Amino acid sequence: MANLSPSRQKAILRKYARNLKFLMMLISIGVIVVTLPKQAKFGYEIEKGRIWTQKDLVAPYNFAILKTQQEMDNDRRTVLATITPIYQLNAEVEPQQLDSFKNDLQAKWHASGLNERQKQDYLNTGVTLLQHIYDSGLLRLNSKYQQYSTNYPITILNKNIATDKNTADLFTRDKALAYCNQYLSAQPNIDKTFLLDLIITRLQNNLIYDDGLTARLEKEAIDGLSTTRGMVQKDEPIITKGSVVNDDVYQKLESYKKAFEDYSRVNGSRKLVLLGQVLLVSITITLLMVFLYLFRRDIYDDNRLVSLILLVITAMLAALSLAIKLQMPNLYYIPYCIVPIIIRILFDTRLALNIHLLVVLIAGFFVPNSFEFAYFEITAGMVSIYSIKNLIRREQFLISAVIITFTYFVAFLGINFIREGTFFNINWMEFVPFVVSVLLTLLAYPLIYLFEKIFAITSDITLIELTNTNAPLLRKLAFVAPGTFQHSLQVANLAENAIYSIGGNALLVRAGALYHDIGKIENPLFFIENQASGFNPHDKLPYEESAQIIIRHVSKGVEMAEKADIPEVIINFIRTHHGDTRVDYFYQSFLKNFPEKLINEKIFRYPGPIPSTKEGGVLMLADSVEAASRSLKEPDEKSINALVDRIVKYKLDQEQLKDSAITLKDLETIKTIFKKMLMSIYHVRINYEDN
């Protein structure tokens, strides 16, 4: 490309950029289609309590009626009640503990001081008690089976021989101690305390709860439950037009839907399903690109921004597909509102709303109750966009989350009222997924930061941070060049109010205004607003050198901003706030004092470029107007009006605003705002009387 002309090089780059755009579109469509579930879509929306407005629905084949979840839960509870917990008898415990008891008695007898002739009585009594306890059975009760009563039936396995008993007839450790204590209290010739201490240490459960075997029996019983209750025969009416979708009909429709999906999975053509998905997704992505081409050409021409938008859309739909494949219990856990929030913060409201609608449209083909889903998510998405229309504080994210939650809640109530017709049958646990979704939406904040860094985009959040006057460059400007700093604040106020009235990014223009003159930090005393003592260093310099010092604050400002990692969109304000105008004071002074000399006008002219956005044009006007207003000796309504009109006319005559998309109507609005604000600043009393 080194031998090609610049125009030819640009043409080739545009060609490949267009090809890359199409490639990104194809990749995005491919990823979305590959991840989507590959099954036919049931053609009816089922909603309990609604009137069936479609034609009579007749069963095209036999299918079973599925039980409701409540019926399955009742069956499960019933069958589990028939399964008694299994306890294994450990026959080795009794002889081991009896032998240990005898050894303990032998070892402690001499130290007890008891009569040797009573030893056998103690031995026989202890053995009798332990044998009775172990023969009956010693176990620990399981709280899982004590929901309705302290005691419960069990099955005891002894060498694969099952015996049914109730824990009321068995011993627990506490019950065994009470039994021994009562028995020994009736034996006056035996030291109860001595013998009871020996028995306590020999009480070990010989009935052990078999959790694995019990769970297996319960699982087998549950697996054996029937999931259906009856059949719908071929050609039998499922529901007729005008009928109410009651509980029974609703279950038939759900059963038909499941049968339809199973039938389609076996007999349907996966290739046709795939083709249908390709067509639907392609239309959606194409509509998005057409929107960008027609209304946001700046984004359309930037493949970096297009790739970001396609990445966000693809990631959201891929997450939805993954949730469907993993059979997430509720698809409303997914934070759908995160997409419009990210797009709104990084781009604008119109694009965010357009993309959100397209994402919801695609998702609606693959989620249950598509209309309900679309209503929930479209309304919530619109609210999320509107709630952060003008992002000026970071806490607006939390405020937005509260508003989105409230919107979900109102929609949830409305849909349940339509569906149930009563307030008392609402299942409030169904609202939990919406709350979780809103909480996950707060992840937009770190994601925006990540996208900013990866794709070199400046969001409103970054602009908020940049407009903090404690930012390093602004703090340095305020200390080194306080006059310039005050000028920048006034310019920011003028430009912000003007751009807000004609339409534009007020936060962006404020940030640009605060940084537009940071280049004056290098030589602050060469600029009149910082010459507090009245000394003017330009008095000792040639006009050409003075002009170059003034002009150099633009290039120096760009250099300082780049070094401080200020975003490019702010640096553009530094480059363009003087456009390619002349430093007229020094230019005219040179002509007046050296009329015979030839002059190179470029020495006195800023390098440009001229502003290419509304925000840049407004900043240029605000900068010139604010600076010129300081030279007014006696500011009044007439002089301020004349000043503003003259400066705006001069910029138009110099063709400084031709690329800024500012209309003549916009200019009238801007002039009006500038005049009102300047008169307020200089405390000018407006004359309302007719002349």
Side-chain angles (χ1 to χ4, degrees), residues 398-664:
L398 294 176
I399 297 172
S400 178
V402 173
I403 297 174
I404 294 170
T405 305
F406 179 74
T407 303
Y408 272 136
F409 182 72
V410 173
F412 178 79
L413 281 180
I415 288 176
N416 273 278
F417 287 161
I418 293 174
R419 184 190 300 158
E420 303 291 344
T422 175
F423 183 83
F424 301 102
N425 290 341
I426 296 176
N427 182 2
W428 296 106
M429 289 304 296
E430 291 182 356
F431 187 68
V432 172
F434 295 101
V435 177
V436 175
S437 171
V438 173
L439 293 176
L440 291 176
T441 300
L442 295 177
L443 290 174
Y445 193 87
L447 284 175
I448 289 169
Y449 176 80
L450 182 64
F451 288 142
E452 280 189 278
K453 295 303 178 183
I454 295 176
F455 294 92
I457 299 175
T458 303
S459 71
D460 286 354
I461 298 173
T462 300
L463 294 176
I464 291 173
E465 295 171 349
L466 288 172
T467 54
N468 185 345
T469 53
N470 285 319
L473 271 180
L474 296 182
R475 195 165 60 245
K476 185 176 181 181
L477 179 66
F479 180 75
V480 175
T484 300
F485 180 71
Q486 291 301 319
H487 160 72
S488 298
L489 289 175
Q490 294 285 22
V491 171
N493 292 332
L494 289 169
E496 186 176 27
N497 280 279
I499 201 68
Y500 187 83
S501 297
I502 67 171
N505 192 331
L507 195 57
L508 174 62
V509 80
R510 182 172 188 82
L514 290 175
Y515 286 87
H516 80 284
D517 269 347
I518 58 172
K520 294 181 180 180
I521 292 175
E522 182 186 34
N523 292 307
L525 294 179
F526 283 84
F527 300 89
I528 191 170
E529 66 266 23
N530 299 310
Q531 297 170 1
S533 64
F535 169 72
N536 189 345
H538 289 291
D539 294 341
K540 299 181 179 180
L541 295 176
Y543 297 121
E544 304 96 308
E545 187 174 345
S546 291
Q548 283 300 300
I549 291 174
I550 297 298
I551 292 170
R552 192 162 57 241
H553 87 274
V554 172
S555 59
K556 188 61 181 179
V558 171
E559 179 184 331
M560 294 174 67
E562 289 176 343
K563 187 176 180 181
D565 289 329
I566 301 298
E568 186 66 23
V569 68
I570 303 299
I571 296 176
N572 282 335
F573 284 101
I574 302 175
R575 290 194 182 99
T576 63
H577 73 278
H578 284 296
D580 56 7
T581 57
R582 288 194 308 258
V583 185
D584 264 346
Y585 175 80
F586 294 111
Y587 177 72
Q588 297 298 338
S589 297
F590 183 91
L591 291 178
K592 181 179 179 181
N593 289 279
F594 305 101
E596 74 285 355
K597 286 189 177 181
L598 293 175
I599 184 173
N600 182 3
E601 187 183 316
K602 290 184 178 179
I603 296 175
F604 296 90
R605 191 173 288 278
Y606 286 97
I610 62 175
S612 59
T613 62
K614 274 189 177 183
E615 290 81 2
V618 167
L619 175 60
M620 169 184 276
L621 294 174
D623 180 42
S624 298
V625 165
E626 202 285 330
S629 69
R630 293 171 179 263
S631 65
L632 294 174
K633 294 180 180 180
E634 295 182 5
D636 55 21
E637 182 180 359
K638 183 177 180 181
S639 62
I640 288 175
N641 286 341
L643 173 73
V644 173
D645 290 338
R646 176 169 52 83
I647 288 177
V648 171
K649 183 177 184 303
Y650 174 77
K651 298 299 182 184
L652 285 173
D653 292 342
Q654 293 292 313
E655 296 187 340
Q656 298 299 301
L657 302 175
K658 64 179 183 180
D659 294 338
S660 64
I662 296 178
T663 65
L664 292 176

Side-chain angles (χ1 to χ4, degrees), residues 82-117:
T82 65
I83 305 298
T84 56
I86 306 299
Y87 283 78
Q88 296 281 359
L89 174 63
N90 188 347
E92 297 178 357
V93 173
E94 181 177 351
Q96 289 174 354
Q97 297 304 317
L98 288 175
D99 289 342
S100 297
F101 169 76
K102 294 174 183 178
N103 294 333
D104 291 347
L105 181 67
Q106 185 68 32
K108 296 181 180 181
W109 183 262
H110 295 294
S112 67
L114 296 173
N115 192 327
E116 184 71 25
R117 287 179 296 179

Side-chain angles (χ1 to χ4, degrees), residues 371-419:
F371 176 78
E372 283 187 14
F373 170 82
Y375 185 84
F376 273 124
E377 299 311 329
I378 289 176
T379 53
M382 293 171 71
V383 167
S384 67
I385 294 170
Y386 300 157
S387 62
I388 54 174
K389 180 180 181 296
N390 295 308
L391 184 65
I392 56 176
R393 297 184 307 275
R394 280 173 288 188
E395 59 264 28
Q396 284 183 250
F397 274 111
L398 294 176
I399 297 172
S400 178
V402 173
I403 297 174
I404 294 170
T405 305
F406 179 74
T407 303
Y408 272 136
F409 182 72
V410 173
F412 178 79
L413 281 180
I415 288 176
N416 273 278
F417 287 161
I418 293 174
R419 184 190 300 158

Side-chain angles (χ1 to χ4, degrees), residues 114-139:
L114 296 173
N115 192 327
E116 184 71 25
R117 287 179 296 179
Q118 291 182 294
K119 182 177 180 181
Q120 190 62 39
D121 292 338
Y122 276 79
L123 179 63
N124 292 339
T125 301
V127 168
T128 299
L129 288 172
L130 288 172
Q131 284 179 334
H132 177 70
I133 291 170
Y134 284 123
D135 289 345
S136 298
L138 181 62
L139 80 170

